[in-house]
Amino acid sequence: MRRQPWRMTFRYAAEGMMYALRTQVNMRIHVAVALLVIVAGLTLHISRLDWLFVCVAIAIVIVAELFNTAVEAAVDLISPDIHPLAKAAKDTAAGAVLLAAVFAVIIGIFVFYRPMLTLISSLF
């Protein structure tokens, strides 16, 4: 068996991420929201520690969505017919994404609550 060059692993990973962006509406939504959060963080000058929390939350949501996409593709390949275990696998993976997204929203509330209050009070 011939080994692939090490740099190809990055290409395959990028192809996987692009596949998810191209085929999964929820991935596009997560990326769009992440970009909005990054712009908000830059605009509101959040602290370095807050950036750490925001970046971790964004990464967890994106990683969960990538795993969800992988599980869905594998299950569809293995079990094209409706099966209770296929449904359980897909639903569980989707549940992981939901949990990650709820965690990210909670982090967002903690990070952006005070800066938003300060911005709003400065406007009035």
Side-chain angles (χ1 to χ4, degrees):
M1 183 169 109
R2 192 170 153 248
R3 288 184 51 138
Q4 293 285 328
W6 187 70
R7 69 182 180 336
M8 292 303 290
T9 60
F10 291 102
R11 180 178 175 185
Y12 298 144
E15 287 175 5
M17 290 187 288
M18 292 310 297
Y19 172 82
L21 274 170
R22 218 177 32 253
T23 64
Q24 304 299 309
V25 173
N26 287 339
M27 178 60 105
R28 291 192 296 272
I29 291 169
H30 294 312
V31 169
V33 170
L35 292 173
L36 289 173
V37 168
I38 290 167
V39 169
L42 291 170
T43 303
L44 296 170
H45 306 288
I46 62 174
S47 72
R48 290 179 69 177
L49 183 61
D50 285 343
W51 273 115
L52 175 66
F53 288 118
V54 167
C55 289
V56 168
I58 289 170
I60 288 172
V61 172
I62 300 297
V63 167
E65 188 62 49
L66 288 168
F67 276 124
N68 183 49
T69 301
V71 167
E72 286 182 358
V75 167
D76 287 346
L77 177 66
I78 295 166
S79 179
D81 298 326
I82 296 173
H83 189 281
L85 290 176
K87 180 183 181 334
K90 288 181 168 189
D91 290 352
T92 303
V97 177
L98 177 61
L99 183 61
V102 168
F103 169 76
V105 168
I106 292 168
I107 293 297
I109 291 168
F110 276 103
V111 167
F112 290 105
Y113 179 75
R114 286 201 189 276
M116 286 301 293
L117 278 182
T118 303
L119 177 66
I120 291 168
S121 65
S122 72
L123 295 174
F124 295 106

